[in-house]
Every structure is written in structure tokens, then in C-alpha cells.
Amino acid sequence: MNNQPLLSIITPTLGKFSDYWLENLLKIEGSVQFVLVYPPNVKIKAIDDPRVTAIVSPYKGEMPQRFVGLLNAQGKYILALDDDDYVHPQVCSAVEKYFHRFPESWVLRLQKLNIDMKDEVRIKQAWEEIPDVDQLEICKKTPENPYPYNQGNFQGLLEVPIAPLDKNFDWRYLFWPFINRTDNNGYHFENFNNIVWRNDIIQQALPELSQATKVLGAVTWIPSSGFDRLSGLFVQANLFEKDAIIGHWMPKPEQIRYIDKDPALKPPRFHVISDVLLVKHFPKYGYLWNLVFSKLYGVPRTVGKVMKLKLGKTPQK
């Protein structure tokens, strides 16, 4: 593709993002495309920047908006970002260096810092310089020492393994769903957002992912379910290779600032629905069955939250 951008940053939005967030998004340097995906019947904000592509999804909801954004990503690499989270302005330089050094990697996992939405001082703090990817040593995961570092406490590029989807199903979930999972321990990940992906890997998975969402004939999309974990695990299951190293995790300081909200301010989402889609499409992977059963206990809680919203007792986002 001529003039192909290096990185596409995809953001589903209702158009309620702050001027400060937009100002900082547009400070990102280098070859970047910003894809803002709106639901139908929402006024699109006028943004005077040729790097911005504004799209209206045919359906409202997280899943269709994110999917439409991925379909329209022109960059060699993709980063999914919410419209209240921040990314380092020099991220493109780190991405370019990383994939030049590791062209076969699927992902570059950025270092993420969770910040309370009320902590404006930390949110607006100046970014520290990103470590030079070319100079970073490789922190390896070995069978003898599978978890060689505490969470986030490493100085080099930490190897990221594929999710261990071939784990056996824990039959205890059939009798007691509150058992703590252990198969999700380690440096693999489940979610899609805030991680830089190779676009060719994503485009390869999208047609099959689209088919997987068709559950009841005419019902093509499930707007109330979460696309983040569904897409992250779907891509890994689609090209699963046991114990494969699919990328690396950047060390501190952070390159992503994830704004954490009070759960009461978040809209209810039946994430277990999208988890069931994973099991439906990849029934042979015990890891996915463990995920579904471990999340079932949250369904009554989500139903209760929906009822409270309808009664006007809980403020919406």
C-alpha cells in the first residue's frame, strides 16, 4: 500500500471525549492513522487533522464499532485505545524499532499504568522517555523459571508467550464456580486493547471472528458483550501453537495510561456472552471453558446492575 501509515490507533467513541484527551492523542508523532468509530445518529466532531479517519458504524455497541475500526485500519500495526486512555507521544518510534528487530512477532505489549480518574496530576504528568528498544536485553521465560520477574518489575523486553489454551478443563467448576483460576497465571494476556498488533495477523482472523458472532441467525452482533477479551483470545486461538513466544512486553516507564473508573460508573456488560462465543468456536480448548465457568457468577450481578440503571439508581457513564 502506498503511503501506508506505520500505526493505526482505533477508538470506538460516543463523541464525548474531552478536548484534553483529543489534544494529547494528536500529539502522537510519526506515521499514524487515528480511526474514530461512532455509532449511528451521533454527531461527529470536526477535527482538522488529515491523520484522523471518522467512521459511522452501522450498529451501536462496543463490538460492531471496534470491528468496523479494525476493518478500516490501514496501518502496518494496530493499537486499540479507549477514548479516555492515553498513549505516549513517541510510541511510533518504539513500535518501528521493535518490529524491525523482531519482524516475526505478533505483538508488542506496552507497559500500562492504571490511574484513578480523579488523579488529574498523575494523568497530566509529563511522559518519561521510552527506553531505546534497540538497547534492551531480552528477559526470557524458561521451563525452570516460568515467572522470573514480579509484575512489571523487569528492565528489558520480557518474552510474552501465547495463552496456554490447551490447558485441561477444571471439572470442579461444574459443582462450584467460585474456584480461583490458576491457568491464567503468567505473562500471557487475554485482552486485545492497549497492545500493538501486526495488522496482517488481525486481518487474517477478522472473517472468522465475524462468523463466530452469528449466533441466532438474524442476530449478528451482541452489542452488550465485550470485544476486548473476545478478540484477544480469538486471534491467539486462531493461530495457536503450544508454548509459542508471540512478542515482548516493554519495561517501565509506562507507555499507556489507563484511566480507572469506579465500577458503578461503567455500563453493564455481559462479558460471559463473548466468552461463550470463544467456546462455541474453539470447543477443544479447556482454558476457554475454565474462563466461561469462572465468570458465570458475575451474571446475576450484571443483571442487578441493569435493573438498577433502569430504576435510575445508578448514574450511567
Side-chain angles (χ1 to χ4, degrees):
M1 180 184 297
N2 293 330
N3 300 318
Q4 180 183 21
L6 177 77
L7 180 66
S8 290
I9 297 180
I10 301 164
T11 304
T13 182
L14 296 175
K16 298 179 181 179
F17 49 80
S18 69
D19 291 339
Y20 180 77
W21 178 82
L22 178 61
E23 175 187 340
N24 281 268
L25 182 73
L26 299 181
K27 285 182 179 178
I28 295 175
E29 303 169 1
S31 177
V32 61
Q33 173 199 27
F34 304 108
V35 183
L36 299 178
V37 187
Y38 294 78
N41 305 315
V42 170
K43 184 178 179 180
I44 296 177
K45 284 195 176 184
I47 302 173
D48 185 18
D49 191 315
R51 301 173 298 169
V52 176
T53 301
I55 302 172
V56 177
S57 168
Y59 303 99
K60 179 181 179 180
E62 176 192 4
M63 186 179 290
Q65 285 178 246
R66 290 193 186 278
F67 195 91
V68 167
L70 292 174
L71 285 175
N72 286 273
Q74 299 173 4
K76 193 172 182 180
Y77 308 102
I78 288 176
L79 172 63
L81 193 73
D82 286 339
D83 66 359
D84 56 356
D85 297 329
Y86 299 87
V87 61
H88 198 292
Q90 279 84 52
V91 69
C92 281
S93 176
V95 169
E96 186 172 30
K97 287 184 177 182
Y98 174 77
F99 284 102
H100 182 266
R101 184 176 175 184
F102 301 99
E104 299 303 316
S105 287
W106 297 9
V107 298
L108 173 61
R109 185 175 181 181
L110 300 177
Q111 185 67 225
K112 182 172 71 174
L113 177 67
N114 292 352
I115 305 177
D116 188 278
M117 62 180 295
K118 299 176 184 177
D119 191 354
E120 292 191 13
V121 173
R122 187 64 182 89
I123 292 172
K124 296 181 178 181
Q125 183 176 316
W127 293 89
E128 295 184 51
E129 186 176 353
I130 298 179
D132 186 348
V133 174
D134 289 332
Q135 303 300 319
L136 292 174
E137 295 183 358
I138 307 304
C139 303
K140 289 188 174 290
K141 165 183 172 290
T142 65
E144 297 78 20
N145 195 13
Y147 311 126
Y149 305 92
N150 294 327
Q151 180 74 14
N153 187 23
F154 50 91
Q155 300 300 316
L157 289 168
L158 180 63
E159 288 186 336
V160 175
I162 199 166
L165 302 177
D166 56 337
K167 293 282 188 178
N168 293 328
F169 173 59
D170 190 337
W171 293 96
R172 294 177 299 171
Y173 285 122
L174 295 177
F175 310 101
W176 186 246
F178 303 102
I179 298 169
N180 289 328
R181 288 180 67 197
T182 58
D183 59 342
N184 59 340
N185 292 340
Y187 291 120
H188 66 276
F189 59 87
E190 296 181 346
N191 292 354
F192 186 89
N193 294 358
N194 301 320
I195 293 170
V196 178
W197 294 78
R198 266 178 41 202
N199 197 2
D200 62 322
I201 295 287
I202 303 308
Q203 298 304 322
Q204 183 177 342
L206 285 183
E208 198 168 347
L209 177 56
S210 176
Q211 291 299 314
T213 65
K214 295 181 179 180
V215 291
L216 293 174
V219 180
T220 303
W221 298 102
I222 308 175
S224 60
S225 66
F227 191 66
D228 189 7
R229 185 164 61 223
L230 169 64
S231 49
L233 285 175
F234 193 98
V235 173
Q236 295 182 71
N238 193 50
L239 295 171
F240 181 74
E241 182 181 340
K242 183 178 176 62
D243 296 328
I245 299 298
I246 61 172
H248 295 82
W249 191 357
M250 286 287 291
K252 296 177 181 179
E254 79 275 3
Q255 299 95 49
I256 292 282
R257 290 177 182 170
Y258 177 85
I259 308 306
D260 218 356
K261 305 178 187 68
D262 187 319
L265 299 176
K266 299 178 182 179
R269 293 176 180 172
F270 291 93
H271 293 286
V272 71
I273 297 177
S274 54
D275 297 334
V276 168
L277 292 179
L278 285 167
V279 168
K280 172 179 173 289
H281 205 77
F282 302 105
K284 65 180 179 179
Y285 293 132
Y287 182 98
L288 301 179
W289 285 97
N290 291 336
L291 171 63
V292 168
F293 276 86
S294 68
K295 298 298 181 183
L296 283 177
Y297 73 91
V299 173
R301 218 181 307 173
T302 305
V303 171
K305 187 173 182 179
V306 171
M307 298 304 296
K308 286 183 179 181
L309 284 173
K310 289 184 176 181
L311 294 173
K313 294 182 179 179
T314 303
Q316 295 197 33
K317 182 180 178 182

